[in-house]
Amino acid sequence: MSHIPTYTLYGELTDPHEWLHWETIQARSRLHGFHIEKHRHEQLLQVLVIDGGAATAVLDGVQVSLQAGDLVLIPTMVVHEYWFSEEVDGLVLTLFETDIRALGFAFDQALVIRCVVDARSLVDQVIGELRSPGAKHELVQNALLTLLFAAIERASAASIQSDSPLQRNQLLFDRFRGMVEQTYRSSRSVSVLAQQLGVSHTHLNRVCHAMLRSSAQSVINRRLATEARRYLMFSDLSVKLVASELGFDDPAYFARFVTRHLGKSPLQVRADRQNIIRR
């Protein structure tokens, strides 16, 4: 995937000097003709809020229309591209993904959430604290970020009742997803991960069903299939090399895995990139 630019902030290859950065969408997109080309971030997570105007985003090959009131969350390594209208208004908040994990949150796929009023207000509070740090700045900043990402998680998982006694399950599930993110290329054993988490295979499955309505193995397979799709659509590596990159010793087994989980063969997935709208 070497031809996909990996930036800190878009157009900047050096490490950022601050652990948290914000800017207006206008400020950066205007410099690039309101078209932010396909790229990804290796260490950074971004929250983008649209206040006015409109945009089209392609997130891991999926095209989405954005309008005022929308919030977009881009985790690390998600390939994304934007076309903004010239009257676009909004903000982009950029953070180190490891800092968000330290607060107990893990995201492995892009989210688009419509009209999250409380999250928009919390973004303003985070920026306000960043602009004018007060007493116990780090404590306050972490508290605001915790509230912000909790609001995003709740909005993206409306099927989970906020008053349900699932706090410990949520923490376990977040830890499991964090481990999957770190090990999915090399370790796909639910039993091994469950042991490392200090729970049984059965309990981990029960928690995954409660949180996501799928098994623990499905969580691993979904993450692996997402990465396979990224490589097939956004790299020029052969199918054999993609399989090797993702820890598959047998390319034929990799092809069956892709077909089973994405509904298309590797070559068909690769052909999909020709259908992405370019302007």
Side-chain angles (χ1 to χ4, degrees):
M1 299 181 76
S2 59
H3 74 292
I4 302 175
T6 301
Y7 296 127
T8 50
L9 301 179
Y10 181 73
E12 299 177 11
L13 295 171
T14 56
D15 288 335
H17 298 293
E18 299 178 0
W19 75 277
L20 195 158
H21 175 88
W22 77 274
E23 63 185 356
T24 66
I25 296 174
Q26 270 277 345
R28 192 166 298 264
S29 64
R30 185 172 60 249
L31 298 175
H32 301 277
F34 297 95
H35 177 204
I36 303 299
E37 295 186 358
K38 178 177 65 180
H39 68 289
R40 59 183 179 169
H41 306 285
E42 186 174 7
Q43 301 179 56
L44 301 177
L45 175 149
Q46 290 188 314
V47 175
L48 180 147
V49 180
I50 304 288
D51 291 327
T56 297
V58 175
L59 310 174
D60 271 343
V62 178
Q63 182 172 305
V64 181
S65 295
L66 304 173
Q67 58 189 0
D70 290 348
L71 180 147
V72 184
L73 183 141
I74 305 292
T76 57
M77 303 308 289
V78 169
V79 181
H80 54 290
E81 184 172 12
Y82 295 108
W83 290 268
F84 295 106
S85 63
E86 292 188 6
E87 68 276 13
V88 68
D89 186 23
L91 298 169
V92 181
L93 189 63
T94 304
L95 314 94
F96 281 111
E97 187 261 358
T98 52
D99 291 325
I100 301 309
R101 285 190 182 278
L103 295 176
F105 301 95
F107 302 95
D108 55 19
Q109 295 184 352
L111 299 176
V112 177
I113 307 172
R114 311 294 182 181
C115 300
V116 191
V117 178
D118 53 347
R120 180 64 180 87
S121 175
L122 287 165
V123 168
D124 285 339
Q125 292 181 55
V126 169
I127 292 172
E129 179 64 26
L130 184 63
R131 277 175 157 173
S132 303
K136 298 186 177 180
H137 166 68
E138 185 175 349
L139 181 64
V140 172
Q141 193 75 81
N142 285 344
L144 290 172
L145 289 171
T146 298
L147 290 171
L148 169 62
F149 285 96
I152 292 173
E153 268 202 351
R154 286 181 174 182
S156 67
S159 61
I160 301 176
Q161 296 182 5
S162 60
D163 60 351
S164 178
L166 296 177
Q167 293 181 352
R168 283 181 295 179
N169 284 355
Q170 182 69 61
L171 177 60
L172 175 62
F173 181 65
D174 290 341
R175 289 176 60 204
F176 171 60
R177 287 204 304 180
M179 292 181 68
V180 169
E181 186 65 27
Q182 298 298 319
T183 65
Y184 69 89
R185 294 170 185 262
S186 57
S187 175
R188 296 157 198 168
S189 169
V190 174
S191 295
V192 169
L193 294 181
Q195 184 177 18
Q196 293 174 352
L197 288 166
V199 299
S200 69
H201 185 145
T202 300
H203 181 66
L204 184 56
N205 263 329
R206 186 180 301 117
V207 169
C208 288
H209 276 290
M211 296 292 106
L212 205 61
R213 297 182 181 178
S214 65
S215 68
Q217 190 64 57
S218 293
V219 173
I220 297 172
N221 290 342
R222 183 183 303 177
R223 180 64 186 91
L224 191 58
T226 295
E227 197 67 14
R229 184 173 183 273
R230 289 172 182 168
Y231 271 89
L232 292 168
M233 289 193 69
F234 301 114
S235 82
D236 296 322
L237 294 178
S238 67
V239 173
K240 182 177 180 180
L241 286 177
V242 171
S244 177
E245 183 71 19
L246 296 179
F248 287 86
D249 296 327
D250 182 359
Y253 178 72
F254 171 71
R256 292 195 296 273
F257 175 89
V258 169
T259 301
R260 181 167 65 252
H261 292 282
L262 297 180
K264 298 178 181 179
S265 71
L267 292 180
Q268 289 173 322
V269 174
R270 173 150 282 170
D272 283 347
R273 65 182 172 185
Q274 303 300 324
N275 298 323
I276 296 177
I277 295 176
R278 301 294 182 189
R279 292 187 179 180

